[in-house]
Amino acid sequence: MIDRAQAELLIAERLPEKRREHSRRVAAEAAELARRFGAAPEAAAIAGLLHDYCRDLSDAETLAAAARYGLAVGPIAARRPKHILHGPVAAAELSAAGLDADIAAAIARHTTGGPGMTILEKCLYVADFCEPGRAFPGLDEVRALARASLDAAVAAAVRISLLDLIGRGRGVVPEALALYNETHAGN
Ligand SMILES: [Fe+2]
Ligand SMILES: [Fe+2]
């Protein structure tokens, strides 16, 4: 088990100050969402602190870590390894260091999302999307939705993410598309 104090020490060793500040804002936001929607706030805070633990690895280091931990690397992830795989790699590394499985799962899916997410996973996904340091079109909609419905916030967040990726001509991983289809069922 890794507690909040240990999580702070881990990111102090690894992450530059700017990313630590982002991580703390995500931790606070995720804990608040967890309180509102029925997940464990402490677990959400730890997930927030650690979610970008491997964000500053290079593409080569990320792929090497993925291979070391036996993680699947799909064709889209192979094109943008550090961006798409920093969550799964962090989850694997921190699991080996004793992180709880539910927190590791949230970290693994924080970038792409995926179908069948737990409340804790949704809290981290939405918190990373709309922490107060972020600013981009559509964000206020997600923030407003997150006051009343976690699922509505996830649906809007994945839709905005996919529109942005497609607008840039980038690939979409199947997990993100599955989350989009799940959250827009009936449409
Ligand atoms: Fe991230
Ligand atoms: Fe992040």
Side-chain angles (χ1 to χ4, degrees):
M1 193 196 145
I2 293 175
D3 63 17
R4 195 194 287 229
Q6 286 170 297
E8 281 280 2
L9 286 175
L10 284 165
I11 62 170
E13 286 165 3
R14 178 76 71 96
L15 301 183
E17 182 54 30
K18 245 185 130 170
R19 203 175 298 288
R20 287 207 300 277
E21 286 168 8
H22 161 69
S23 302
R24 290 192 193 104
R25 288 194 298 269
V26 173
E29 186 74 28
E32 192 180 321
L33 290 169
R35 267 189 291 276
R36 194 175 303 155
F37 296 112
E42 194 63 16
I46 293 166
L49 287 174
L50 293 173
H51 78 286
D52 277 343
Y53 185 60
C54 291
R55 187 68 183 85
D56 293 294
L57 298 181
S58 68
D59 281 333
E61 287 167 338
T62 304
L63 286 170
R68 202 161 57 239
Y69 292 113
L71 302 177
V73 180
I76 309 299
R79 272 146 58 177
R80 301 179 68 212
K82 65 180 176 180
H83 184 83
I84 293 173
L85 295 173
H86 71 275
V89 164
E93 185 173 335
L94 293 163
S95 290
L99 184 66
D100 290 357
D102 57 338
I103 301 176
I107 290 172
R109 302 224 269 182
H110 83 266
T111 306
T112 63
M117 291 169 91
T118 64
I119 297 174
L120 181 66
E121 289 170 21
K122 290 174 185 173
C123 288
L124 180 61
Y125 180 80
V126 171
D128 189 35
F129 194 85
C130 64
E131 61 98 342
R134 297 225 194 253
F136 51 83
L139 193 52
D140 288 343
E141 180 197 350
V142 180
R143 286 184 177 136
L145 290 168
R147 286 188 208 114
S149 167
L150 186 59
D151 286 335
V154 170
V158 70
R159 189 173 66 245
I160 290 167
S161 298
L162 294 197
L163 282 169
D164 178 63
L165 287 169
I166 290 166
R168 293 166 194 260
R170 286 185 171 150
V172 173
V173 298
E175 295 80 7
L177 206 49
L179 176 63
Y180 172 80
N181 285 327
E182 183 183 270
T183 55
H184 293 73
N187 292 349

